[in-house]
Amino acid sequence: MFDINTILFYGITFGILIMTIVYTFIRYLYSKEIFYISYCFMQIFSLIFIISYSKLFTISYFIQELSLVIASIFAMIFAINYYEGKFLPKITNYKELIINTFLLNVVILTAFYHYVLFEYLPYTIIYAILFVSLIFNLKQGFKPALIYVIGWSVFCILLFIFDFKNFYTQSGYFDLVLLVFAIEAMLFTISIAYKYNDLKMKNKNFEKMVIQQSKFVKSGEMIANITHQFRQPLNNISYILMNLKKRFENKNLDELYFDKKINQANEQIDFLSKTIDDFKEFYNETKKRENFSVKEAIENAFTILDADLKNHNIDLKIDFQTFEEIKIFGVKNELSQVIFSIVSNSIDVLKNIKNPKIKIEVSSSSAEVKIDITDNGGGIKTKNLKKIFEPYFTTKIEGTGIGLYLVKMIVEESFGGKILVENKKEGACFCLFFEKVI
């Protein structure tokens, strides 16, 4: 028979393990990181082990030992995936060899004492591997493993100094194994919380990098468009200068004609200047959020795309079914990037289509602004409709698969909007929804 306190303490330990299992499984569903699911399975088999160990239920000794072996395997998988840095340090001289050999011996001895104290192999495996991670990669800065390792190390040192295990056992307290399970769960929860924040920060940095990468992938195409945009105005300026020179040589240059040609030249120069400003704004990394005109953002995108549209004889129609100066809140050049990416994809599809057309319709309700971008390129294959916003998914031979992924990310995360895609009679239609500025 067991007294109520023992049953209660076992119940608390079971509860902590179940909480850890649920917590890590949910984290895995969100992040798909292997170390979450491997730790989850390790704790599942640890729970089976501790239930068998408790003798509260009739479970065979074979099941107990089998669960220990499987938990140890998942512990190794977890620790290797949670591991940060290099497994083997770079050794360039004898001094580093001596230091790293000494540190490795410290790990071995500490891990051995850890097992002697707690008598549970899976946790010792994790402790040893993460300890190696820490001492061989100290120069990489503060890592989540540091919390885990220091927590166990301090605990082990205190137990060793005060010979706590003998005192604890002789005093007749609850089984030390139960205490270890509880401490392990608490230490890991603290460590994993930091790890989760660290992953979120890395993901944000990755997204920023991908956004810039996406811009540079398109930069060659944009430069070609800008070159085409510049060619006609420069030709016009050249003709204006030739006319002025010819009139001057023939002594037929009057003030009225001169002013007229100067104004024409200034108009061409203003166009070139605006093109440069639009190009710079498109690449500007500013995150200044403000109320801005949807029409201006669309026009900025088509300043860059105009040459490509003309080059492929694509008929573009922009239809405002609402107030033309309607505004939304956010970063203007990000909406330009969204329009640019979607229309660029349409242009790629329409290059070999007869009578290619792109239509942009801007409408609004009392609460939101809707932008529909439709082409007559035949639409998207049904099997690809649910995949086109996934990172690195592409049907193009030289595609990167990040354009539409970034479009979705910008619309949803930067604007708090929504994007849908559907096939219509002649082609694909991208529907963008944004909150309207009242």
Side-chain angles (χ1 to χ4, degrees), residues 78 138 157 258 340 355 416-417:
F78 159 75
L138 286 173
I157 290 170
F258 181 80
F340 177 89
N355 302 318

Side-chain angles (χ1 to χ4, degrees), residues 125-314:
I125 290 172
I126 295 174
Y127 175 73
I129 293 177
L130 295 187
F131 202 160
V132 171
S133 166
L134 180 63
I135 65 171
F136 285 169
N137 299 278
L138 286 173
K139 294 180 181 179
Q140 293 189 23
F142 184 80
K143 299 290 181 181
L146 185 63
I147 301 172
Y148 193 98
V149 172
I150 287 181
W152 272 122
S153 297
V154 170
F155 191 58
C156 287
I157 290 170
L158 290 175
L159 292 180
F160 177 76
I161 293 174
F162 296 105
D163 195 20
F164 183 78
K165 185 174 183 181
N166 287 333
F167 169 77
Y168 189 93
T169 304
Q170 292 172 5
S171 299
Y173 295 126
F174 297 114
D175 198 324
L176 189 59
V177 174
L178 294 180
L179 186 62
V180 171
F181 272 83
I183 292 173
E184 154 70 16
M186 289 185 290
L187 279 175
F188 177 74
T189 302
I190 296 171
S191 180
I192 212 70
Y194 178 86
K195 182 76 171 182
Y196 179 71
N197 292 332
D198 189 45
L199 286 172
K200 283 177 63 178
M201 185 62 67
K202 287 179 180 178
N203 284 337
K204 285 183 178 180
N205 292 334
F206 173 74
E207 287 172 355
K208 289 179 182 178
M209 182 269 294
V210 170
I211 289 174
Q212 287 306 112
Q213 180 186 3
S214 177
K215 292 179 183 178
F216 287 122
V217 165
K218 289 289 184 181
S219 63
E221 182 180 338
M222 288 183 188
I223 291 171
N225 289 337
I226 295 295
T227 302
H228 193 280
Q229 293 272 51
F230 273 29
R231 184 172 289 113
Q232 188 60 43
L234 289 173
N235 285 339
N236 292 339
I237 292 172
S238 176
Y239 290 137
I240 291 170
L241 292 174
M242 288 170 61
N243 288 335
L244 287 173
K245 182 181 178 183
K246 187 176 181 179
R247 285 257 186 165
F248 179 77
E249 289 173 346
N250 293 333
K251 297 181 181 181
N252 192 26
L253 181 61
D254 56 59
E255 185 176 349
L256 184 63
Y257 185 82
F258 181 80
D259 288 340
K260 177 184 175 182
K261 290 301 178 182
I262 290 297
N263 289 334
Q264 289 177 354
N266 284 333
E267 287 176 3
Q268 300 300 314
I269 291 170
D270 288 342
F271 175 82
L272 293 173
S273 178
K274 184 180 184 303
T275 302
I276 293 171
D277 289 340
D278 289 341
F279 187 73
K280 285 171 61 180
E281 185 174 355
F282 192 90
Y283 275 92
N284 191 357
E285 293 185 40
T286 180
K287 291 294 180 182
K288 183 181 179 183
R289 298 171 63 80
E290 59 187 356
N291 296 336
F292 66 87
S293 166
V294 172
K295 183 179 179 181
E296 287 182 7
I298 293 173
E299 288 176 345
N300 286 348
F302 283 107
T303 298
I304 309 298
L305 290 165
D306 186 61
D308 222 7
L309 291 166
K310 289 178 179 177
N311 189 40
H312 295 97
N313 299 312
I314 297 173

